[in-house]
Amino acid sequence: MDQANDASGDVTGLSLSEAAAQVAARDDRPDEETVRTVLAEVAFDRIVSEDRITELESDTSMAVSNAEGRAEFAAMRVDEVEEAATDAPDLETVSARLDAFDARADSIESRARDLADRLHDLVHRREYSDSVYEYVRDLRDLGTDADAAHGDAQRLATDADEFERWLDSHATRITGLSTDVAAIESTFDDLETAADRLANPEAIGEDEPDPATQWFALTQRQRVNELVVADARVELADVRTWAERAGDDTTDLDDLGERLADLELRREQFGDRLDDLARPDWREQYDEVISAVDDTLAAFEPPVNFGAVQAALDDLGPA
């Protein structure tokens, strides 16, 4: 291999091993195995191929185009649902969901624009740079991000469809709330099972989090579940108001109200149980963090954006 080729980032026509060695030998480059993994994307018979690079460009461009199209469709569906919601009563549960859809639509449209800008910059960069490795790496990353954006846009459109059905039907609102309550009940069952194991912390395996960490995790979940139950109660109240205004039957709502009352009692009893299980050294280790969790959660009230709750808890740092 001549010296000019050593200095070049154009490794097309070289074997994967030769190309990886040449790229990795330059400053600020990853190891050969990492380079080889990236370049394998554009190799044919283990030779770095210009044709395969062209195919990857085409595939990435298509992925970006599909993401843009799906983002546009999702935003259109959100607009249509917002229009349909003008006939719904002025309730917090409705307005909070519309605000969340707006935020998601803005985000996915912004991401789609960013994908298109990145693709344009990449293609332009290819015209004046011979760095095949960085070009392929960035194309792969862009394709991955485009696929993720496409999936998120599809979920937004699907959620908009579901919300439109929720707006249209009292029965759908009842079913959705009942499903949510059942999920909360199942979560409480799982938490109580986990607490049973903490009654005998010596039996916890070495490959599991230590008992103190498990106790803290359950305590944090117990605190969050106060918001979960309160949020369900607010939705129940709004659905009831909607039903009474429309003259719909509220019998099922009475049953859901009783189940939520039982859940609030279970939540309180679970908190008492965690207090009883706590050992002094567990409290000493986590008291400050639990106080920070309580302060963080106090800033939220129903209708709750639980994504924002999780982000705020994540900002507290690892336990």
Side-chain angles (χ1 to χ4, degrees):
M1 188 179 302
D2 61 37
Q3 189 172 358
N5 207 20
D6 281 335
S8 173
D10 185 359
V11 293
T12 54
L14 299 181
S15 71
L16 279 176
S17 296
E18 291 173 322
Q22 180 169 307
V23 172
R26 288 177 281 160
D27 293 338
D28 302 322
R29 294 301 188 274
D31 59 86
E32 288 188 32
E33 185 59 35
T34 300
V35 175
R36 187 182 296 109
T37 299
V38 170
L39 293 179
E41 187 84 15
V42 292
F44 179 74
D45 284 345
R46 303 188 62 79
I47 301 296
V48 179
S49 166
E50 185 67 39
D51 288 342
R52 288 296 176 90
I53 294 173
T54 300
E55 289 177 13
L56 181 60
E57 290 172 346
S58 178
D59 291 345
T60 303
S61 178
M62 180 62 70
V64 169
S65 177
N66 288 341
E68 289 181 291
R70 186 51 53 177
E72 182 179 355
F73 173 74
M76 179 190 68
R77 287 295 297 125
V78 169
D79 288 342
E80 292 170 348
V81 167
E82 288 178 341
E83 180 65 27
T86 58
D87 294 331
D90 184 16
L91 298 169
E92 279 294 317
T93 300
V94 176
S95 60
R97 294 188 182 193
L98 288 173
D99 288 345
F101 275 113
D102 261 344
R104 290 172 65 187
D106 287 345
S107 174
I108 200 66
E109 287 184 303
S110 176
R111 288 167 64 188
R113 288 192 296 270
D114 178 66
L115 291 169
D117 289 344
R118 286 168 60 190
L119 179 63
H120 177 270
D121 290 345
L122 266 176
V123 172
H124 178 63
R125 193 174 79 194
R126 176 64 167 160
E127 294 176 359
Y128 63 81
S129 171
D130 62 3
S131 180
V132 171
Y133 165 73
E134 282 81 2
Y135 184 60
V136 172
R137 178 200 62 195
D138 291 348
L139 278 175
R140 292 171 77 235
D141 291 345
L142 179 58
T144 298
D145 291 345
D147 289 343
H150 185 280
D152 288 343
Q154 182 58 53
R155 279 185 287 276
L156 175 57
T158 299
D159 290 347
D161 292 342
E162 293 177 357
F163 182 54
E164 189 169 44
R165 290 191 290 271
W166 186 88
L167 288 169
D168 286 342
S169 168
H170 172 67
T172 300
R173 292 189 286 274
I174 294 289
T175 298
L177 189 53
S178 180
T179 299
D180 290 344
V181 172
I184 300 171
E185 290 168 338
S186 178
T187 295
F188 277 33
D189 291 341
D190 292 341
L191 293 177
E192 288 164 357
T193 298
D196 289 341
R197 300 188 70 241
L198 275 182
N200 183 23
E202 288 76 14
I204 293 176
E206 293 183 359
D207 58 340
E208 300 180 69
D210 63 85
T213 300
Q214 292 191 38
W215 174 80
F216 166 72
L218 292 176
T219 300
Q220 180 174 268
R221 292 281 298 279
Q222 193 268 345
R223 302 294 209 272
V224 172
N225 280 334
E226 181 176 4
L227 279 178
V228 172
V229 175
D231 190 69
R233 282 183 154 179
V234 166
E235 181 171 346
L236 173 64
D238 279 355
V239 171
R240 184 185 296 278
T241 297
W242 198 338
E244 290 172 348
R245 291 179 185 178
D248 294 319
D249 181 46
T250 60
T251 302
D252 289 338
L253 294 176
D254 295 335
D255 175 64
L256 288 172
E258 292 175 2
R259 289 166 66 187
L260 284 172
D262 289 342
L263 283 169
E264 178 56 29
L265 179 59
R266 285 180 66 183
R267 190 196 66 79
E268 293 174 357
Q269 292 172 340
F270 185 66
D272 293 339
R273 186 181 183 199
L274 289 175
D275 287 341
D276 292 339
L277 286 171
R279 298 187 175 186
D281 57 319
W282 300 358
R283 291 187 183 280
E284 182 178 357
Q285 183 176 352
Y286 284 109
D287 264 353
E288 289 187 10
V289 183
I290 291 172
S291 294
V293 168
D294 288 339
D295 291 343
T296 298
L297 296 178
F300 295 91
E301 59 183 30
V304 181
N305 179 344
F306 284 102
V309 170
Q310 188 59 57
L313 293 176
D314 289 344
D315 286 343
L316 295 179

